[in-house]
PDB file of all heavy atoms in Angstrom:
ATOM      1  N   GLU O 105      99.983  94.541  81.866  1.00  0.00           N
ATOM      2  CA  GLU O 105     100.865  93.604  81.099  1.00  0.00           C
ATOM      3  C   GLU O 105     101.248  94.125  79.796  1.00  0.00           C
ATOM      4  O   GLU O 105     102.452  94.015  79.392  1.00  0.00           O
ATOM      5  CB  GLU O 105     100.110  92.208  80.845  1.00  0.00           C
ATOM      6  CG  GLU O 105      99.812  91.377  81.960  1.00  0.00           C
ATOM      7  CD  GLU O 105      98.904  90.146  81.795  1.00  0.00           C
ATOM      8  OE1 GLU O 105      98.245  90.257  80.740  1.00  0.00           O
ATOM      9  OE2 GLU O 105      98.868  89.325  82.617  1.00  0.00           O
ATOM     10  N   GLU O 106     100.384  94.732  78.932  1.00  0.00           N
ATOM     11  CA  GLU O 106     100.797  95.320  77.702  1.00  0.00           C
ATOM     12  C   GLU O 106     101.733  96.390  77.795  1.00  0.00           C
ATOM     13  O   GLU O 106     102.661  96.454  76.953  1.00  0.00           O
ATOM     14  CB  GLU O 106      99.409  95.796  77.024  1.00  0.00           C
ATOM     15  CG  GLU O 106      99.690  96.201  75.600  1.00  0.00           C
ATOM     16  CD  GLU O 106      99.944  95.105  74.686  1.00  0.00           C
ATOM     17  OE1 GLU O 106      99.740  93.831  75.071  1.00  0.00           O
ATOM     18  OE2 GLU O 106     100.327  95.316  73.589  1.00  0.00           O
ATOM     19  N   ALA O 107     101.583  97.295  78.737  1.00  0.00           N
ATOM     20  CA  ALA O 107     102.553  98.338  78.923  1.00  0.00           C
ATOM     21  C   ALA O 107     103.997  97.753  79.186  1.00  0.00           C
ATOM     22  O   ALA O 107     105.012  98.246  78.626  1.00  0.00           O
ATOM     23  CB  ALA O 107     102.191  99.280  79.971  1.00  0.00           C
ATOM     24  N   LEU O 108     104.089  96.820  80.026  1.00  0.00           N
ATOM     25  CA  LEU O 108     105.325  96.151  80.287  1.00  0.00           C
ATOM     26  C   LEU O 108     105.944  95.380  79.087  1.00  0.00           C
ATOM     27  O   LEU O 108     107.126  95.445  78.845  1.00  0.00           O
ATOM     28  CB  LEU O 108     105.179  95.212  81.556  1.00  0.00           C
ATOM     29  CG  LEU O 108     105.032  95.874  82.818  1.00  0.00           C
ATOM     30  CD1 LEU O 108     104.496  94.815  83.910  1.00  0.00           C
ATOM     31  CD2 LEU O 108     106.222  96.605  83.356  1.00  0.00           C
ATOM     32  N   ILE O 109     105.022  94.611  78.384  1.00  0.00           N
ATOM     33  CA  ILE O 109     105.445  93.923  77.155  1.00  0.00           C
ATOM     34  C   ILE O 109     106.010  94.785  76.083  1.00  0.00           C
ATOM     35  O   ILE O 109     107.070  94.593  75.532  1.00  0.00           O
ATOM     36  CB  ILE O 109     104.277  93.030  76.645  1.00  0.00           C
ATOM     37  CG1 ILE O 109     103.932  91.961  77.604  1.00  0.00           C
ATOM     38  CG2 ILE O 109     104.527  92.491  75.262  1.00  0.00           C
ATOM     39  CD1 ILE O 109     102.667  91.168  77.327  1.00  0.00           C
ATOM     40  N   LEU O 110     105.330  95.936  75.825  1.00  0.00           N
ATOM     41  CA  LEU O 110     105.741  96.944  74.917  1.00  0.00           C
ATOM     42  C   LEU O 110     107.020  97.594  75.256  1.00  0.00           C
ATOM     43  O   LEU O 110     108.011  97.785  74.373  1.00  0.00           O
ATOM     44  CB  LEU O 110     104.795  97.995  74.663  1.00  0.00           C
ATOM     45  CG  LEU O 110     103.431  97.570  73.905  1.00  0.00           C
ATOM     46  CD1 LEU O 110     102.435  98.805  74.058  1.00  0.00           C
ATOM     47  CD2 LEU O 110     103.696  97.204  72.638  1.00  0.00           C
ATOM     48  N   THR O 111     107.420  97.726  76.509  1.00  0.00           N
ATOM     49  CA  THR O 111     108.654  98.258  76.983  1.00  0.00           C
ATOM     50  C   THR O 111     109.662  97.280  76.808  1.00  0.00           C
ATOM     51  O   THR O 111     110.826  97.564  76.445  1.00  0.00           O
ATOM     52  CB  THR O 111     108.511  98.737  78.458  1.00  0.00           C
ATOM     53  OG1 THR O 111     107.375  99.511  78.657  1.00  0.00           O
ATOM     54  CG2 THR O 111     109.739  99.505  78.879  1.00  0.00           C
ATOM     55  N   CYS O 112     109.408  96.047  77.141  1.00  0.00           N
ATOM     56  CA  CYS O 112     110.427  94.880  76.862  1.00  0.00           C
ATOM     57  C   CYS O 112     110.818  94.893  75.383  1.00  0.00           C
ATOM     58  O   CYS O 112     111.982  94.682  74.996  1.00  0.00           O
ATOM     59  CB  CYS O 112     109.862  93.555  77.299  1.00  0.00           C
ATOM     60  SG  CYS O 112     109.746  93.329  79.116  1.00  0.00           S
ATOM     61  N   HIS O 113     109.898  94.981  74.551  1.00  0.00           N
ATOM     62  CA  HIS O 113     110.083  95.121  73.063  1.00  0.00           C
ATOM     63  C   HIS O 113     111.095  96.157  72.798  1.00  0.00           C
ATOM     64  O   HIS O 113     111.928  96.018  71.833  1.00  0.00           O
ATOM     65  CB  HIS O 113     108.793  95.195  72.215  1.00  0.00           C
ATOM     66  CG  HIS O 113     107.941  93.935  72.392  1.00  0.00           C
ATOM     67  ND1 HIS O 113     106.690  93.994  71.827  1.00  0.00           N
ATOM     68  CD2 HIS O 113     108.072  92.747  73.039  1.00  0.00           C
ATOM     69  CE1 HIS O 113     106.116  92.765  72.087  1.00  0.00           C
ATOM     70  NE2 HIS O 113     107.031  92.073  72.877  1.00  0.00           N
ATOM     71  N   ASP O 114     111.015  97.349  73.413  1.00  0.00           N
ATOM     72  CA  ASP O 114     112.006  98.423  73.178  1.00  0.00           C
ATOM     73  C   ASP O 114     113.410  97.988  73.398  1.00  0.00           C
ATOM     74  O   ASP O 114     114.332  98.581  72.828  1.00  0.00           O
ATOM     75  CB  ASP O 114     111.648  99.561  74.117  1.00  0.00           C
ATOM     76  CG  ASP O 114     110.375 100.311  73.716  1.00  0.00           C
ATOM     77  OD1 ASP O 114     109.886 100.160  72.596  1.00  0.00           O
ATOM     78  OD2 ASP O 114     109.874 101.085  74.563  1.00  0.00           O
ATOM     79  N   PHE O 115     113.518  96.989  74.281  1.00  0.00           N
ATOM     80  CA  PHE O 115     114.908  96.450  74.637  1.00  0.00           C
ATOM     81  C   PHE O 115     115.217  95.091  73.882  1.00  0.00           C
ATOM     82  O   PHE O 115     116.104  94.293  74.223  1.00  0.00           O
ATOM     83  CB  PHE O 115     115.058  96.274  76.081  1.00  0.00           C
ATOM     84  CG  PHE O 115     114.974  97.494  76.816  1.00  0.00           C
ATOM     85  CD1 PHE O 115     113.827  98.050  77.359  1.00  0.00           C
ATOM     86  CD2 PHE O 115     116.241  98.238  77.066  1.00  0.00           C
ATOM     87  CE1 PHE O 115     113.737  99.249  78.029  1.00  0.00           C
ATOM     88  CE2 PHE O 115     116.221  99.368  77.814  1.00  0.00           C
ATOM     89  CZ  PHE O 115     114.994  99.978  78.263  1.00  0.00           C
ATOM     90  N   ASP O 116     114.411  94.905  72.724  1.00  0.00           N
ATOM     91  CA  ASP O 116     114.526  93.696  71.878  1.00  0.00           C
ATOM     92  C   ASP O 116     114.390  92.443  72.676  1.00  0.00           C
ATOM     93  O   ASP O 116     114.979  91.435  72.282  1.00  0.00           O
ATOM     94  CB  ASP O 116     115.923  93.741  71.208  1.00  0.00           C
ATOM     95  CG  ASP O 116     116.158  94.846  70.247  1.00  0.00           C
ATOM     96  OD1 ASP O 116     115.110  95.316  69.572  1.00  0.00           O
ATOM     97  OD2 ASP O 116     117.144  95.498  70.255  1.00  0.00           O
ATOM     98  N   ILE O 117     113.431  92.403  73.627  1.00  0.00           N
ATOM     99  CA  ILE O 117     112.994  91.205  74.349  1.00  0.00           C
ATOM    100  C   ILE O 117     111.670  90.750  73.882  1.00  0.00           C
ATOM    101  O   ILE O 117     110.814  91.504  73.925  1.00  0.00           O
ATOM    102  CB  ILE O 117     113.010  91.533  75.846  1.00  0.00           C
ATOM    103  CG1 ILE O 117     114.388  91.985  76.439  1.00  0.00           C
ATOM    104  CG2 ILE O 117     112.491  90.355  76.668  1.00  0.00           C
ATOM    105  CD1 ILE O 117     114.227  92.578  77.813  1.00  0.00           C
TER     106      ILE O 117
END
Side-chain angles (χ1 to χ4, degrees):
E105 287 174 344
E106 187 67 13
L108 291 166
I109 288 167
L110 291 173
T111 309
C112 286
H113 292 175
D114 290 343
F115 293 91
D116 299 319
I117 299 170

